């Protein structure tokens, strides 16, 4: 519905756009970030850019929420951190799910028309994924500082339960979601360009498969092995 510029709902926010909706969300700029139809090497560039650009937005939010959680953990506050970490994990779930959309690309059309216009563009240079990885170690450090302040080993945290256990599981969830994204991304890459080729920066695609095993908090996975052993000893 067109807005009457002198009417009751005329925009009151500064900026471009016919309505406050467009001004607040800066939809003019947002929707100009994708190539226009006449600029596209192939019509599916819109799909390709939409999935990548929206992934960058969700990753930006995820990293901000992890940073926020780290700050509250630094103040000894676990409950607000859990809330933010739930959101961060959900961001990763959303971008993992939307990778499905890329499987709508034809491998031939992608390789023939889209890949040549990407230059040296590589996911290794993704600011969002880089940020998600960069903010993660400080969260782990914050958790361990709290744990040590209470004089607990990781095994004790897991045996006793409580709020530190909840935090450890939220970190595990974040870690798991990141590698679930990597696994799904690897599957999509294998389906679109193959798993015996090299990427736009010369990285063998097989290497991506290996990264799936990378863990942010290996100790939180190791403790499960210890618990299994311990339980055997106590049986
Ligand atoms: C047709 C779809 C896609 C293909 C063919 C593809 C291909 C690749 C390849 C070959 C690599 C290895 C590095 C290189 O040589 O460039 C890579 C890495 C990466 N890609 Fe993609 N990609 C696709 C979609 C996406 C999407 C939607 C994202 C979302 C942000 C993304 C983010 C990344 C990231 C973050 C890495 C580094 C992974 C890591 O460090 O584990 N890719 N991609």
């Amino acid at each position: 519905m067109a807005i009457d510029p002198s009417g009751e709902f005329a925009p009151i926010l500064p900026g471009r756009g016919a309505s406050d909706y467009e001004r607040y969300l800066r939809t003019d700029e947002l929707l100009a970030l994708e190539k226009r139809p006449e600029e596209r090497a192939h019509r599916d560039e819109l799909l390709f850019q939409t999935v990548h650009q929206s992934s960058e937005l969700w990753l930006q939010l995820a990293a901000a929420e992890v940073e926020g959680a780290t700050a509250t953990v630094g103040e000894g506050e676990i409950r607000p951190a859990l809330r933010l970490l739930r959101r961060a994990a959900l961001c990763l779930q959303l971008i993992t799910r939307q990778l499905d959309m890329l499987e709508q690309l034809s491998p031939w059309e992608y390789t023939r028309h889209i890949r040549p216009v990407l230059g040296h563009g590589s996911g290794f240079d993704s600011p969002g994924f880089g940020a998600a990885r960069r903010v993660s170690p400080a969260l782990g450090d914050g958790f361990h500082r709290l744990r040590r302040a209470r004089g607990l080993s990781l095994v004790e945290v897991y045996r006793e339960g409580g709020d530190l256990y909840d935090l450890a599981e939220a970190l595990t969830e974040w870690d798991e979601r990141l590698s679930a994204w990597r696994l799904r991304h690897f599957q999509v890459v294998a389906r679109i360009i193959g798993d015996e080729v090299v990427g736009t920066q010369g990285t063998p695609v097989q290497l991506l498969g290996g990264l799936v095993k990378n863990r942010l908090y290996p100790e939180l996975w190791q403790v499960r092995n210890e618990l299994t052993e311990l339980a055997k000893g106590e049986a």
Side-chain angles (χ1 to χ4, degrees):
M1 192 184 72
I3 290 175
D4 172 2
S6 57
E8 191 188 350
F9 298 113
I12 52 174
L13 297 179
R16 285 192 291 143
S19 65
D20 279 340
Y21 179 93
E22 291 156 286
R23 290 184 182 187
Y24 179 77
L25 293 171
R26 297 169 59 184
T27 49
D28 272 7
E29 287 152 283
L30 179 68
L31 301 176
L33 292 175
E34 298 74 39
K35 284 188 177 180
R36 289 190 303 274
E38 65 276 15
E39 295 173 311
R40 292 176 201 147
H42 188 277
R43 68 176 302 288
D44 288 351
E45 270 198 272
L46 182 58
L47 183 160
F48 186 78
Q49 286 196 308
T50 301
V51 175
H52 276 84
Q53 290 178 327
S54 56
S55 297
E56 290 295 338
L57 290 176
W58 287 118
L59 284 163
Q60 172 176 260
L61 177 62
E65 301 304 42
V66 169
E67 268 191 318
T70 305
T72 75
V73 167
E75 290 156 10
E77 292 286 337
I78 292 180
R79 194 190 272 261
L82 294 177
R83 189 159 168 249
L84 296 179
L85 290 174
R86 253 196 310 278
R87 293 184 191 175
L90 192 52
C91 290
L92 288 185
Q93 229 176 314
L94 291 171
I95 63 162
T96 303
R97 189 65 222 278
Q98 72 169 11
L99 287 172
D100 289 5
M101 186 59 91
L102 291 169
E103 293 186 336
Q104 300 297 313
L105 297 173
S106 130
W108 174 248
E109 288 171 7
Y110 174 76
T111 310
R112 175 74 186 79
H113 300 287
I114 300 182
R115 207 166 179 223
V117 302
L118 303 180
H120 295 134
S122 158
F124 281 144
D125 299 323
S126 155
F129 200 72
R133 290 180 47 197
R134 204 169 44 249
V135 297
S136 297
L139 177 65
D141 293 347
F143 162 73
H144 286 298
R145 253 194 308 277
L146 271 189
R147 174 181 67 72
R148 280 192 296 268
R150 294 195 199 170
L152 294 173
S153 71
L154 253 191
V155 166
E156 285 164 341
V157 167
Y158 270 80
R159 286 183 64 147
E160 288 180 16
D163 60 351
L164 266 184
Y165 165 80
D166 292 340
L167 184 58
E169 282 299 280
L171 265 64
T172 307
E173 177 84 10
W174 170 243
D175 197 345
E176 186 180 79
R177 295 265 170 228
L178 211 69
S179 62
W181 179 88
R182 276 186 157 138
L183 174 63
R184 184 71 191 118
H185 171 266
F186 173 65
Q187 290 171 328
V188 171
V189 175
R191 185 158 161 181
I192 303 298
I193 63 171
D195 60 2
E196 292 175 4
V197 296
V198 295
T200 40
Q201 287 189 357
T203 315
V205 166
Q206 271 155 354
L207 192 136
L208 284 180
L211 291 177
V212 171
K213 295 197 203 85
N214 273 13
R215 283 171 170 167
L216 296 170
Y217 313 115
E219 69 283 8
L220 290 179
W221 298 92
Q222 184 54 32
V223 72
R224 288 151 225 273
N225 296 318
E226 291 171 40
L227 292 168
T228 302
E229 281 307 310
L230 258 178
K232 264 196 236 159
E234 289 186 10

